[in-house]
Amino acid sequence: MRASKKGFTLAELLLAFVILTFCLSGILLSYVNMYFLSDLSRDITRSNAAAQDKMEEAKKTSFADISALNGATFDITGFTSANAKGRIEVSDVTIRGTPTETMKRVRISVCFKSGRRVVGEDKNLNGTFDGGEDTNGNGLLDAPVELVTLISR
């Protein structure tokens, strides 16, 4: 009489190990992606807070002095100076093709480095509009953190 063999064959064990490895690497990849997304979210929150602070300062500035803010750059709290830069742009508002002197458009944008990637169009993070940085051709330094408001006299 032959004894019955109970257990798994080597091929079954190898197949189970391959399936387990595939599943665990998928979970690990998801964890790594969530880590990078968490860092990006933190950086966007810091940048947004800094932009809101600068917008409040601009709102407190007298209307006659607002144009002097055009082109001003600022550092972002929580980043080194080389890793983030904000820019203020001030322009006259045009209504129905006619510029008005009683209203200004204030736009604040913040570009920053998250990990090894620069987020926004200011690739060298100097706060100025350099050639080749305007990837969409609209004449502005675009960024994921942008605030725009109108200030009247």
Side-chain angles (χ1 to χ4, degrees), residues 82 111-113 116-135 141-142:
C111 297
F112 56 90
K113 192 174 197 176
R116 288 181 250 154
R117 185 177 74 144
V118 174
V119 180
E121 287 185 337
D122 190 9
K123 298 304 178 193
N124 57 1
L125 295 172
N126 63 355
T128 60
F129 189 64
D130 301 320
E133 289 182 335
D134 188 17
T135 56
L141 277 178
D142 293 314

Side-chain angles (χ1 to χ4, degrees), residues 64-84:
D65 296 334
I66 289 229
S67 293
L69 295 175
N70 189 34
T73 61
F74 58 95
D75 292 331
I76 310 303
T77 305
F79 289 94
T80 63
S81 181
N83 286 338

Side-chain angles (χ1 to χ4, degrees), residues 9 36 42 60 87 101 111 135-136:
T9 65
F36 287 127
R42 179 200 63 222
K60 292 176 184 175
R87 178 176 172 84
E101 295 179 8
C111 297
T135 56
N136 62 2

Side-chain angles (χ1 to χ4, degrees), residues 14-29:
L14 285 175
L15 180 63
F17 180 73
V18 167
I19 292 171
L20 180 65
T21 302
F22 182 73
C23 292
L24 289 177
S25 53
I27 291 170
L28 179 63
L29 184 61

